[in-house]
Amino acid sequence: MTTPQQLIRPEILAMSAYHVPPASNMIKLDAMENPYPLPAALRHQLGQGLGEVAINRYPDAGYGELKRRLRDAFAIPEDAGLMLGNGSDELIQILAMGLARPGTKLMSLEPSFVMYRMIATFCQMQYVGVALNDDFTLNLNATLAAIEREQPALIFIAYPNNPTGNHFPAEQIAQIIRAAKGLVVVDEAYEAFAQDSFLPRLHEFPNLLILRTLSKVGLAGLRLGYMVGATAWINEFEKLRPPYNINVLTQYAAEMVLTHIDELHAQTRLIRDERAVLSAQLSTLPQLSQYPSDANFILVRVPDAPATHTALKVDGILVKNLHGSHSLLQNCLRLTVGTPAENRLLFDALKSALMAVDA
Ligand SMILES: *Cc1c(COP(=O)(O)O)cnc(C)c1O
């Protein structure tokens, strides 16, 4: 009898599955979700409409209507290629699948989104991480040198970056795109909170792809990501897409919400305002230091992150403990910006947890 250990590739055996902690009855500030539900009238309308969707039929695999609404809502140029994914995670995987061949390299900055490294391993690409500076700014010289040395086929830059929250100067990103002979993917998962994008500059860079997701603006449960770039590239990656990767319920719900995009814009505006309020509160805690954020979360450093993480959990608040995930993230926690009430509870719980450590 053949065992998994004999057949599964050793690098997969060595991995652990992506861990999602249980969160029932917790205030969930660990995963950059939008804390606000849709307005009641829209939810009602959605419920009615979803009941009428033909779930016995395969989806419209061209996603024509959904793509048209995405182009309208996010000002995607008509002459640019657009491809949809079951979350942007699927698109990252498709990109790696398309470019992987023996010896090809996938590069990203570190610390950044962990799926870049994991997917490189899934697809048997060689992973190259380039460390950010201690303050999480981009080390441009080291990055350009690594591009020259490693010749990566694929580079991912999260803009703004997760888990650090900052976004790198556009001119530095432009230099990286110009220096790269491979594809550069600017991952704009947090674009709504930074309000800065490379989309208007797509035509300047033939090797640039823009990756976006609806997850962080309020539709994480739908699993819908999209990728924009030159049609010559998008047409090739389309070949790797499972034919029905966006299900009919997601298509219907996304189409409806996109026609009410102002509701999502209003929510992201609230979150940006609350980010400033939370940041001001955090700055009153002498034991804590925070990093500037252009996203919907704030990275902080405390004297003992695992202890603070546990204390918050006891108080019913779930945040992300990053201690141990990268050497630059020692004693760091990532706090998703929630509703004003959630943020207040977070602040109070943090304050007492930090005082307990002091005592
Ligand atoms: C959350 C996140 C994603 C994944 O988004 P999904 O569309 O939910 O798969 C991609 N990139 C970055 C940088 C993220 O933080």
Side-chain angles (χ1 to χ4, degrees):
M1 182 65 192
T2 312
T3 64
Q5 283 67 26
Q6 289 169 296
L7 277 186
I8 302 281
R9 283 154 37 206
E11 65 272 25
I12 306 295
L13 291 172
M15 291 177 105
S16 24
Y18 190 89
H19 173 66
V20 180
S24 57
N25 300 319
M26 302 282 279
I27 294 177
K28 202 168 175 308
L29 301 176
D30 65 328
M32 283 79 84
E33 292 144 324
N34 171 345
Y36 299 106
L38 292 170
L42 192 52
R43 269 184 289 150
H44 183 74
Q45 202 184 333
L46 190 58
Q48 301 239 302
L50 285 169
E52 301 300 321
V53 172
I55 58 173
N56 55 319
R57 300 293 178 193
Y58 281 111
D60 158 20
Y63 311 134
E65 180 61 20
L66 177 53
K67 283 183 171 181
R68 197 182 60 70
R69 295 201 200 189
L70 282 165
R71 284 188 189 271
D72 286 352
F74 298 113
I76 299 167
E78 283 306 322
D79 61 349
L82 170 63
M83 173 173 176
L84 309 188
N86 190 334
S88 44
D89 286 349
E90 185 183 50
L91 293 168
I92 298 170
Q93 193 155 345
I94 286 173
L95 285 162
M97 264 200 304
L99 299 182
R101 56 175 110 190
T104 52
K105 293 174 182 172
L106 183 157
M107 176 181 286
S108 82
L109 308 172
E110 295 221 328
S112 189
F113 188 46
V114 294
M115 290 310 291
Y116 304 146
R117 175 197 282 270
M118 287 179 70
I119 286 173
T121 306
F122 298 165
C123 296
Q124 297 187 287
M125 287 184 88
Q126 206 176 313
Y127 178 78
V128 180
V130 180
L132 297 171
N133 294 315
D134 288 352
D135 61 357
F136 305 124
T137 54
L138 202 150
N139 186 338
L140 187 62
N141 288 338
T143 307
L144 294 174
I147 290 171
E148 178 67 26
R149 187 177 65 242
E150 309 283 350
Q151 297 290 316
L154 186 54
I155 300 175
F156 284 97
I157 300 174
Y159 181 85
N161 191 36
N162 169 14
T164 59
N166 57 322
H167 83 299
F168 309 116
E171 195 36 49
Q172 295 188 350
I173 307 292
Q175 281 193 57
I176 290 172
I177 302 170
R178 283 189 210 107
K181 297 203 179 69
L183 272 181
V184 178
V185 180
V186 174
D187 181 345
E188 299 189 339
Y190 301 97
E191 183 271 332
F193 308 100
Q195 299 181 284
D196 185 21
S197 173
F198 268 77
L199 191 58
R201 299 183 65 179
L202 203 51
H203 62 275
E204 283 178 50
F205 309 102
N207 60 333
L208 169 64
L209 294 172
I210 313 270
L211 192 61
R212 298 256 188 94
T213 175
L214 300 189
S215 294
K216 313 295 161 50
V217 294
L219 304 176
L222 288 186
R223 312 302 301 128
L224 184 62
Y226 62 97
M227 179 162 77
V228 185
T231 51
W233 284 113
I234 297 292
N235 291 344
E236 295 305 317
F237 291 115
E238 275 285 355
K239 299 175 185 173
L240 294 164
R241 177 173 66 77
Y244 304 113
N245 62 332
I246 312 299
N247 72 74
V248 288
L249 299 177
T250 293
Q251 275 186 64
Y252 182 88
E255 285 170 17
M256 168 164 288
V257 176
L258 287 172
T259 58
H260 297 87
I261 189 75
D262 287 350
E263 302 287 357
L264 295 189
H265 289 330
Q267 293 180 346
T268 52
R269 201 173 318 122
L270 279 177
I271 294 166
R272 289 197 304 266
D273 292 347
E274 266 308 299
R275 176 180 68 199
V277 173
L278 178 61
S279 172
Q281 286 178 329
L282 294 175
S283 67
T284 66
L285 299 175
Q287 309 93 330
L288 173 152
S289 56
Q290 60 178 312
Y291 293 89
S293 171
D294 299 300
N296 61 340
F297 59 87
I298 299 177
L299 184 76
V300 301
R301 202 184 293 273
V302 294
D304 183 347
T308 305
H309 179 253
T310 303
L312 291 176
K313 204 151 60 170
V314 169
D315 284 342
I317 301 171
L318 195 59
V319 301
K320 179 76 174 178
N321 177 19
L322 294 161
H323 185 77
S325 67
H326 189 276
S327 57
L328 292 178
L329 294 173
Q330 273 196 37
N331 283 315
C332 284
L333 299 172
R334 189 187 61 197
L335 316 174
T336 301
V337 178
T339 64
E342 288 173 336
N343 298 336
R344 186 74 224 180
L345 289 168
L346 169 66
F347 174 72
D348 291 343
L350 257 177
K351 188 173 176 173
S352 42
L354 290 172
M355 294 211 297
V357 172
D358 259 3

